[in-house]
Amino acid sequence: MNILITGCNGQLGNEMQLLEKSYPQHTYFNTDVAELDITNQQAIETFVREHQIDGIVNCAAYTAVDKAEDNEALCQKLNAEAPAFLAHAIGQRGGWIIQISTDYVFDGTNHTPYTEDDDTCPNSVYGKTKLVGEFNVQKLCEKSMIIRTAWLYSTFGNNFVKTMIRLGNEKPELGVIFDQIGTPTYARDLARVVMTAIEQGIVPGIYHFSNEGVISWYDFAKAIHRLAGINTCHVRPLHTAEYPTPAKRPHYSVLDKTKMKKTYGIEIPYWEESLKDCIDRL
């Protein structure tokens, strides 16, 4: 297959490029904004047609959650309109698309893990635009797969793990939110699932994926320091109210992965095992 990867310079896009070497039977077109402007519908239509693209993995998004509150137009363009352009172009060719989405489509008021059938209710610009992107992709491409994920980190780019390691080495004390609960996702594990779906065949629908287990940001930070051998920084728990942000975060964003596990017959690693792998690589 000829596969288009968008957002190849991001966390997931970089992990996808590493895995591509294990699947040499396909031809990959790794693009970011310099190679393909996904907000330009004509450019997408031309690219997909000229390179005879069979499938798209859309890793590109506007992910600056707080900045999104003041940049709604750009966020809408990247998270809602661009996926529509991609889905339309590949849908016309009878191809497939995997759209990466987010736990932010929920308001975080649940007390049990969110399933794909739970009602969505985003309360941030980022969450709202990502949800519109989901609708657009499903409407415009029959063979579409939405994968919602959460708390993404990797050895690439900026993320919570790298920030905690840097601050842990710089500061004697840190405050981290303890009353927001979820599950981290190692981008390498997510990339493996994407590749598994491509190999086994796209089963259209919405899926949830994160690592296994449940923790708070505070527990996550403590684990990062422990595994990175940082013992000179005191991490103290903060209430969300003590650390106000422009965008409202879901208090509870644990995702139920049953559908993904059953459909593709996969086992998902426990969050701490994946975190250790990432820190070892760092």
Side-chain angles (χ1 to χ4, degrees), residues 178-209:
F178 82 95
D179 57 359
Q180 290 175 21
I181 307 296
T183 313
T185 308
Y186 185 22
R188 184 157 302 195
D189 293 334
L190 177 56
R192 285 190 185 111
V193 164
V194 169
M195 285 302 201
T196 298
I198 292 169
E199 287 312 297
Q200 292 188 18
I202 303 300
V203 181
I206 298 173
Y207 295 82
H208 288 170
F209 183 85

